Every structure is written in structure tokens, then in C-alpha cells.
Amino acid sequence: MRCLVMALLLGLAIHGPAIGLEVSRSAGKQPDKIASQLRQAVEPAQTHRVSAPTRHAMRWLDGEQVEVFVYHQCDGDEPLLQDPVFGISYAKVHYRMLNELAALECVRQIRPPVYAHRRVGSVTSAGNLVMRAAEMRDAFNVDGSNVRIGIISDSLNDLAFSVNTGDLPPDVIILENQAGIDEGRAMAELIHDLAPGATLMFHTGIPTSLNMITAIRALTEAGADVIVDDLGFFLEPYFEDGPVAQAVQEAIDAGVFYITAVGNDAQANYSGTFQELDPDDDDPQNNIHDFDNSDGTDGTMGVTIPPGGLLQAVLQWPNPFDGSANTADYDLHVLNADGTEDACLTPGISGTCVSDDAQLAMPLVPMETVFVQNNNSRQSVSLNLVINRFDGEVLPLRVVFGGRFSVDEHNVPDRSVFGHPCVDEALAVGAIDAADEGFDTIEPFSSRGPCEIFFAPNADLLATRPEASGFRTSQVVPLTPPEIRVKPDVVAADGTNTSVPGFMPFFGTSAAAPHAAAVAALLMDLGGGPEFTTVPQMLSLMRIAAVDEGDPGVDDTYGFGVVDAVQAADVLQGAPVATILSPAEDVAVTSGDTVNFQGDCNDLDGNRPFTLNWDFDGGANIESSTAQNPSVIFTPSGTFTVTMTCTNNAGLTSLAATIRVVVNAADSGGGCTLVPNASAHPLSALGNLLLLGLTLCILWVWRRWRA
């Protein structure tokens, strides 16, 4: 193991002031506890003393009382809030008393109830209401029948309990199971609440990534139309599609609509390009990373591990994950609270506090991992992570965390998605608390995008040997520029109810993903069954029909928006299908090249003729075209999303078919370049000009002096 002298690396000069970044779960909650849908329904009555229309998905009693669900932690002293079911009470409230009820400190939120139209179990997910799945089932008479949903999680045990309570049907198909905490059963209950007609299948995806690959392939072979999973693997590649991601792509290519939890890592993540803390230390192997992007400096990232807690931290950088073309060697260290010595020398701390593989000496994975356990029974410990660039080029860095701990400083929520949720055609689902007022505030832990993919596989080989530990065995080719993938795709409800102990309620993107899967099943049912709905159609439908939240348009927090079953059903009804026939896949060109497009449009009713509309995202010599097969010239560098829609003679417009065109700058043909990539670093270019001017000035003074 290479020696790293801690006293030299971590003196007071490099340890800047820590900036706390703890955010409570309640941060960002709206002050109004009454759901906007409910408030809008009662406002006419409050103003005009008339009952609100029934279209607001609620019932009025005698024109003055309204039925509501109250989410609360009240202790039973309130007469209206008796017999709660997992924190939810049904109540009949005079519309003038809603504000008084909401003023109770123990009340979390007041919402319209989920109305039953068929038998449900002892617990019903609140996602039925906020994602309007119940309303869609009633309006369109669908329940997910003839759709097979495969679930991948840790385990699905004690099925008989959920069957006896009515929360699951008796015909759940279990292909392979493991001992676990029954998160798979909780996911299954959520799906069954929203899509009770769907056939449910389960396969465990633990303990290794190879088990995950087996599960994906087994469910695909068993005929799953939809697969949904909630598992993540810290050792998956962050900058390329690893074996699990490739297995997901296999399933998609076989016609499976794949849905996955985007992850719960936004509050424990680091992403940034290496910047040296002290470039003038004259030590080529002592290159400590500066975590502070502000005017200050800080060579450490502070974390706290509670009593009995543990920390796993994984550092990766964008070299091919098979180690075949390493260009850099970074090391990861965990130090004590003072930043003066190895943390594992501290009493009560054990584990691996130094990870310093020699990536430039042999083809090793570009990854370093530390694992630290706090064995103290009463005392938390504060520790510090340090990244050292032992040798090689400056590259982007990612640190992903696992365990039970907290990040105290320098957390970066952006780019906290990793692994198979980054697969372009997989639907990665973020989370919003179902009890959130307005259902529009992202969970603080829900992972943010985008995904940056630096390498693409050039073979379909996957690691299949147990000793491969899930690492890919195929070579890769670099992507220039890196591919930027928008993630998450959509967001859905968490904080919903199940009958499974430990998931009452069920928080996390693990709860959001099955809600999205259930809505997908309803849409497939509405579309005539899985045989009439392709993966690209479903992916476009779920994305385009989502309700936009956050920044206008697609963003890295909410993706395309919040899943809304009714809005998606409206989009699906009668819409023709637009298809881009050529190019058949994303294409890379050079500035000035012509791209020939070919489009087609069809619908089930043959409502011809169609009107096509192309949009070239500002990258072509024309903004748009109504030709069926336009030829356009792309000039500016960048990645442009080309969309094509069509409208039939009934006036119904299709979902958008999309393809990406990556335009690379043309070769300048020689000449003098002062700064490589000067367009990305205008200040560096200006510095070169100033240096040139200063040199000319000194030369002029010298020549005058000589004269």
C-alpha cells in the first residue's frame, strides 16, 4: 500500500470551515394543510353558500358537509379523528370547519378521500388519489387486466397475510424468493391497490448484481409486460452502462416496459471536477482535492456516523470500467475529526479507511471504496473524507454513499443518479410525498440528474461468472462529447400505505416506482392490452402526459413531471402513432452535414390523411417542417432533440416521436490555438491574450533600453 503522510496532506491549511448542509424532511412544505383540490372544491360554497360540483372527485352531504381524509398523528382526543388507519381518518366535516381542523398541530394534511368502486384490502395507497388512478379506473373502466407486472426487490414473504387482508390476490407468481424485509410485498400491495386486475410476478434481485441480472432475464422469459425494481448497486459503473444496465436494455429490446426507482441519494452525494487544493506544494503525488467551489478552500468532506452506524463511500472517475485504458489514479481516505490521522486509528472505529489501488500500474477498476463502522454504543463520530490524485489527468469525480450516516458539508444533489436507472429507455421514477400539499414538492432525498455517460459498450457481453462480482467484461468506446441523459423521467407518490410492517407508510423512490408501474398497467389496459402498446409508445406517453413541475419543461429534479393517470389516459385516447423511420437511432454528425429524415404516421381507425410536423430544436437551418421526409442541415455544435408529431383528419395529434442529433464541431483546419477548448474557458483565453500583450510590452521596453 502506498504511503500517504497524513500530516503533510491534512494540516490546518487545507481544512477550511465546514458548512452544515442538513435538511429536515419537512423542509419546503407548504403552510396550507388543505389540499388544493379540496380547497378549490369548497371555495364556491364558502363564497356563495352552494355546494361544489361533483367533478372535484368528492361528495357533499346535505350540501354543507364534505367527506375528507385527514392525515394526522392525533392521539384520539379529537372526536372527528377516531379509528385512524395508519394515520388516516375518514371524517364528515362542515366546509366552514376545514380551516379549524387544519389548524390542529397533530394534523398533517386534509384531502378528498379515495372512493371505493371494487373490493380493496385493509389498507389502500394514497397514490390512488393523488395520481388519479382511482378516477381513471372509474372513468375508463380499466383495472390493468391482461397486463403482467414483474417485481424485483429483496423478498416477498408472508403472502398469505396480505391475501387474507385482501391487500393481494392469491395468484401472485413467485419465481424465486429470499429471506428479507418484505419490501417486494409492500411494492406488490401498492401496485394491486392501483391496478387490481394486473397479474403480479416476483423474483428476488439480491444479494449480488448477478442475481439482479438473473431476475431481469427470468421475468422477461416468463412474459412480463412491465418490470419494476427498487434495487441499487453501489459498485455499478457511474459513467457507463454496466452489466445490470445492459440486462435492463436487453429486457427493453425484448419488449418489456422497464420501470425503476431513481434512488434516494440526493442528500448524500458528491459530484465535481477535480481541483487541486495546493498546486504549489512541489509534491507530484500529493494532490488533495478541494471540495469547496466557493472562494474558500476545504480539503475534506465532513460526515457523521451515529452510534452503531456505518459508512460506505465509493469514489469513481470516468475511465473505462474494465480498467483497459486508465488515465488517472485517485485515492480515497477517511480521517478523524481533526483531519490529522487515519480514522480507523480512533478508538471505537473499525473498517477500511484507506483505498489506494494502483490504477495506472495495472488494469484496475477506476474506483476506490472505504467502509467505516462506529462501534460506540452512545457516541456519534465526525470524520472526514479526503480525495488525493496520486497521478494522472484531471477528471470529473463522483462519490456515492451507503449506510447509516449523515453528510455534514459539500453535498451535491445534482448527478446523484447512478447505475441502471440511467438507462435511456428505462423509466426512472423520483418521489413526492403523497401527503404533500399540492403534490408538487420533490422529496429531499429523491435523486437528481442528469446522468453523464462517457463510454458505450461495443459488445453485448455480460459478466456471468460469480467471481466477476458484476463487473463488465466487454470493451467500451468513448463517447465524445459524453451523452447527457435526463433523469429522473417522472416522479410519483411515496409516503403511502401498506399492511407490511416497516412500510406503514412506505417512503422512498422504492414506493414511487410501483405506483408508476401500476399506472402503466392501466394505460396498457386502456390501449387494448400490451400487444397494442410498444415500449417507445409507453415511454413517450408516461413522459409527455406528466404534469410539469419545477423549472418549466424537462428538468433534472422532476424530469418530465408528475405521473397523472387521467391526463395520460386523455392523451392516449384516439391519438395516432408517429414513427421516425430514418435515422433509425440517435445519430452523430459534423457541423454542416445534411440529415435526411423519414417519418410515418398510423392510427387504428385509419383517419387519413395525416399532417406531419417536425421540430429541429433550433439546431437546423430551418426551425420546423411539415414535409414527411425533410432534409435539413445542422450547423451549431451540441445535442438536439428532433421531434415529429402527426395529426389525423379527426384533429387528434400523436405523441411525439424523438431522436437525438449530436453535432460535433468541424475541424478548424489548423492555425494557432492559444487555449485548448477556449470556448469553454473564455477567461483562460483572455489570460493568454494578456500574457501575449505583456510579453510584447516587455520586449518593446527591452529593445528601447538596448537602444
Side-chain angles (χ1 to χ4, degrees):
M1 182 175 66
R2 290 169 291 183
C3 179
L4 200 62
V5 182
M6 298 300 176
L8 293 177
L9 299 184
L10 294 159
L12 295 177
I14 72 168
H15 190 74
I19 302 174
L21 201 62
E22 296 180 342
V23 180
S24 66
R25 272 193 60 82
S26 60
K29 296 293 185 181
Q30 300 296 321
D32 191 355
K33 298 179 183 178
I34 301 174
S36 58
Q37 183 181 18
L38 177 58
R39 182 170 292 283
Q40 292 172 20
V42 301
E43 279 177 351
Q46 293 173 330
T47 305
H48 306 294
R49 297 188 179 183
V50 295
S51 63
T54 56
R55 66 181 176 86
H56 287 280
M58 53 184 294
R59 289 190 302 191
W60 288 75
L61 306 175
D62 301 324
E64 294 185 345
Q65 287 194 348
V66 62
E67 293 180 326
V68 297
F69 275 2
V70 183
Y71 296 74
H72 66 95
Q73 294 89 30
C74 302
D75 57 10
D77 293 336
E78 299 298 328
L80 286 174
L81 305 180
Q82 299 300 310
D83 302 319
V85 178
F86 301 109
I88 302 175
S89 289
Y90 166 85
K92 301 174 183 178
V93 185
H94 193 284
Y95 67 86
R96 295 187 183 277
M97 300 296 293
L98 282 173
N99 287 327
E100 182 176 335
L101 182 61
L104 296 175
E105 186 176 352
C106 59
V107 169
R108 294 172 56 200
Q109 194 168 40
I110 306 173
R111 289 185 170 276
V114 177
Y115 293 110
H117 68 281
R118 56 177 56 86
R119 182 182 177 188
V120 297
S122 62
V123 180
T124 301
S125 169
N128 247 325
L129 175 64
V130 295
M131 294 171 59
R132 299 208 290 171
E135 187 177 344
M136 178 188 173
R137 292 196 306 270
D138 290 340
F140 296 96
N141 192 29
V142 293
D143 62 1
S145 293
N146 301 316
V147 179
R148 292 157 295 185
I149 302 178
I151 302 167
I152 303 176
S153 187
D154 68 328
S155 62
L156 198 161
N157 299 306
D158 206 2
L159 175 62
F161 180 87
S162 293
V163 172
N164 290 335
T165 61
D167 290 299
L168 282 177
D171 59 350
V172 176
I173 301 170
I174 299 179
L175 300 181
E176 185 175 316
N177 207 355
Q178 286 267 5
I181 60 174
D182 247 9
E183 190 159 333
R185 180 159 65 99
M187 293 173 66
E189 287 192 5
L190 295 181
I191 295 172
H192 185 64
D193 281 342
L194 273 66
T199 298
L200 303 181
M201 301 186 288
F202 178 81
H203 196 298
T204 182
I206 63 171
T208 74
S209 58
L210 299 184
N211 298 96
M212 178 71 172
I213 292 170
T214 298
I216 295 169
R217 291 175 170 173
L219 287 169
T220 301
E221 181 68 23
D225 304 303
V226 179
I227 293 179
V228 58
D229 84 80
D230 70 338
L231 298 178
F233 298 87
F234 290 120
L235 303 185
E236 280 189 277
Y238 304 158
F239 297 100
E240 64 183 78
D241 290 329
V244 174
Q246 294 184 56
V248 168
Q249 187 63 53
E250 283 183 353
I252 293 170
D253 293 342
V256 175
F257 186 36
Y258 202 98
I259 300 174
T260 181
V262 76
N264 304 331
D265 303 297
Q267 292 178 300
N269 181 70
Y270 180 77
S271 175
T273 299
F274 177 83
Q275 54 185 7
E276 189 168 352
L277 186 71
D278 185 7
D280 300 322
D281 59 7
D282 295 326
D283 186 345
Q285 295 179 348
N286 176 16
N287 306 294
I288 302 301
H289 175 58
D290 182 5
F291 286 94
D292 195 336
N293 288 322
S294 65
D295 293 336
T297 57
D298 193 350
T300 65
M301 183 176 184
V303 297
T304 297
I305 307 178
L310 59 88
L311 167 73
Q312 180 182 13
V314 180
L315 168 68
Q316 292 189 22
W317 55 95
N319 280 163
F321 206 68
D322 55 19
S324 61
N326 286 328
T327 62
D329 181 352
Y330 290 85
D331 299 329
L332 184 61
H333 300 258
V334 184
L335 306 181
N336 63 2
D338 297 329
T340 56
E341 65 177 7
D342 188 319
C344 290
L345 300 177
T346 304
I349 301 300
S350 62
T352 303
C353 293
V354 178
S355 183
D356 57 356
D357 292 338
Q359 279 82 9
L360 292 180
M362 58 189 70
L364 300 177
V365 172
M367 176 174 65
E368 303 289 352
T369 303
V370 293
F371 187 93
V372 182
Q373 174 85 40
N374 179 9
N375 302 307
N376 295 290
S377 60
R378 297 183 179 181
Q379 182 179 358
S380 296
V381 293
S382 296
L383 303 175
N384 291 286
L385 269 68
V386 173
I387 298 173
N388 182 52
R389 181 172 60 89
F390 183 79
D391 198 2
E393 65 177 325
V394 170
L395 292 172
L397 305 173
R398 282 286 311 276
V399 182
V400 171
F401 297 88
R404 189 163 63 91
F405 66 99
S406 62
V407 172
D408 301 328
E409 57 179 348
H410 308 311
N411 185 70
V412 180
D414 295 339
R415 293 175 172 81
S416 51
V417 185
F418 65 92
H420 65 278
C422 288
V423 172
D424 192 36
E425 294 179 283
L427 191 80
V429 185
I432 295 180
D433 190 343
D436 173 61
E437 171 63 28
F439 195 51
D440 57 3
T441 303
I442 198 75
E443 289 278 26
F445 52 74
S446 186
S447 293
R448 274 67 154 171
C451 295
E452 288 184 286
I453 305 300
F454 284 70
F455 306 97
N458 63 4
D460 295 328
L461 300 177
L462 290 175
T464 56
R465 306 185 310 277
E467 63 268 24
S469 301
F471 297 152
R472 64 189 319 285
T473 58
S474 61
Q475 300 295 303
V476 295
V477 293
L479 296 174
T480 305
E483 182 180 349
I484 305 300
R485 298 175 182 174
V486 174
K487 296 292 171 177
D489 295 274
V490 295
V491 295
D494 78 337
T496 53
N497 300 306
T498 78
S499 71
V500 182
F503 301 95
M504 305 174 175
F506 188 177
F507 281 104
T509 56
S510 294
H515 279 110
V519 171
L522 297 178
L523 292 169
M524 286 183 174
D525 189 1
L526 180 62
E531 61 271 25
F532 294 104
T533 51
T534 67
V535 170
Q537 289 170 348
M538 287 301 302
L539 189 63
S540 294
L541 178 60
M542 295 290 284
R543 287 172 170 174
I544 295 172
V547 178
D548 188 33
E549 297 292 352
D551 295 335
V554 182
D555 60 59
D556 297 321
T557 300
Y558 297 86
F560 286 77
V562 181
V563 174
D564 185 307
V566 172
Q567 181 160 298
D570 290 339
V571 171
L572 181 62
Q573 289 294 284
V577 177
T579 305
I580 297 176
L581 300 177
S582 180
E585 57 187 12
D586 294 346
V587 61
V589 300
T590 300
S591 176
D593 285 352
T594 298
V595 179
N596 299 313
F597 293 94
Q598 182 180 356
D600 191 21
C601 188
N602 293 283
D603 66 13
L604 297 177
D605 298 324
N607 289 318
R608 296 181 179 275
F610 295 104
T611 301
L612 276 68
N613 185 56
W614 295 82
D615 185 285
F616 302 105
D617 197 21
N621 59 319
I622 56 175
E623 284 291 327
S624 60
S625 174
T626 57
Q628 181 173 356
N629 303 317
S631 296
V632 297
I633 299 172
F634 285 84
T635 302
S637 300
T639 300
F640 302 95
T641 300
V642 176
T643 62
M644 190 272 283
T645 60
C646 59
T647 303
N648 59 22
N649 63 4
L652 300 174
T653 300
S654 71
L655 301 176
T658 63
I659 191 170
R660 284 190 298 270
V661 177
V662 179
V663 182
N664 297 311
D667 189 349
S668 63
C672 178
T673 302
L674 290 176
V675 182
N677 197 22
S679 61
H681 302 284
L683 293 181
S684 297
L686 179 60
N688 280 335
L689 291 174
L690 291 175
L691 180 60
L692 177 61
L694 180 60
T695 302
L696 292 174
C697 181
I698 293 172
L699 180 61
W700 179 81
V701 171
W702 179 78
R703 296 182 69 176
R704 293 269 303 194
W705 176 78
R706 288 288 303 268

